Amino acid sequence: MSSSEHLLDIRQIMQMLPHRYPFLLVDRVLEFEPGVRLKAYKNVSMNEAFFQGHFPGLPVMPGVLILEALAQAGGVFVMSTVREPLEDKVFLFTGLNKVKFRKPVVPGDRLMLNVTYEKHKMNIWRMQGVAEVDGHVVAQGEFSAAVAKKGDM
């Protein structure tokens, strides 16, 4: 099955992730290979609430939000890969390693979110994340997350 058959729009993403405005940071999935990788994007607009204070007159997307966008893309990857019902589950960050920020992300950028599967054991998943703008790496790192029952939170 080709990756083009797996494109997800914002409505489908919202069915998988609990995040909503202003914290939903994945706009569309472009490519998906089950159990292998996912490519998505976030359009960065001057209308983002965080630009009011980060920084006035010099708008820069906070690095932690770039990582959150990668984690959300990872959540879509896992929710699209797992073959069991996940309606009562949520995807939660459990760790970050080897994080590097390379370049600032500013209004008008399209933040490409590349997630590659490393491994999983039981409900813990480990992935590599690389965020790019115009083909240049802006942030990267390893992250892990758990699939947890919403009722257990």
Side-chain angles (χ1 to χ4, degrees):
M1 189 177 288
S2 75
S3 63
S4 63
E5 294 178 41
H6 294 283
L7 300 181
L8 299 175
D9 64 23
I10 192 66
R11 293 178 304 266
Q12 294 162 308
I13 291 166
M14 290 174 69
Q15 291 174 351
M16 294 180 183
L17 297 178
H19 307 81
R20 294 298 178 263
Y21 175 84
F23 217 67
L24 181 58
L25 301 174
V26 178
D27 291 334
R28 182 171 297 259
V29 173
L30 298 174
E31 299 173 12
F32 173 61
E33 292 179 55
V36 179
R37 68 182 188 89
L38 179 135
K39 182 175 188 170
Y41 68 80
K42 159 75 177 141
N43 286 318
V44 181
S45 165
M46 187 60 196
N47 294 325
E48 308 288 351
F50 51 80
F51 285 135
Q52 290 180 19
H54 200 270
F55 301 100
L58 183 64
V60 175
M61 185 174 186
V64 296
L65 293 182
I66 297 169
L67 297 179
E68 175 65 26
L70 282 167
Q72 289 181 21
V76 172
F77 170 81
V78 171
M79 298 303 192
S80 298
T81 298
V82 173
R83 295 288 181 213
E84 63 185 74
L86 297 172
E87 295 83 26
D88 67 333
K89 305 266 175 45
V90 66
F91 191 68
L92 302 169
F93 247 149
T94 58
L96 291 167
N97 291 305
K98 301 180 183 173
V99 172
K100 303 258 190 245
F101 297 103
R102 305 286 185 195
K103 296 182 76 162
V105 175
V106 298
D109 285 346
R110 176 172 280 186
L111 185 64
M112 300 304 294
L113 307 166
N114 301 288
V115 175
T116 306
Y117 170 81
E118 280 193 357
K119 66 180 181 176
H120 79 277
K121 187 173 184 179
M122 296 175 55
N123 69 327
I124 304 292
W125 292 71
R126 186 175 308 155
M127 289 166 265
Q128 289 282 336
V130 177
E132 299 176 327
V133 172
D134 296 331
H136 300 285
V137 174
V138 296
Q140 63 191 74
E142 300 171 352
F143 57 95
S144 59
V147 177
K149 290 184 180 178
K150 289 179 185 175
D152 293 343
M153 296 180 59

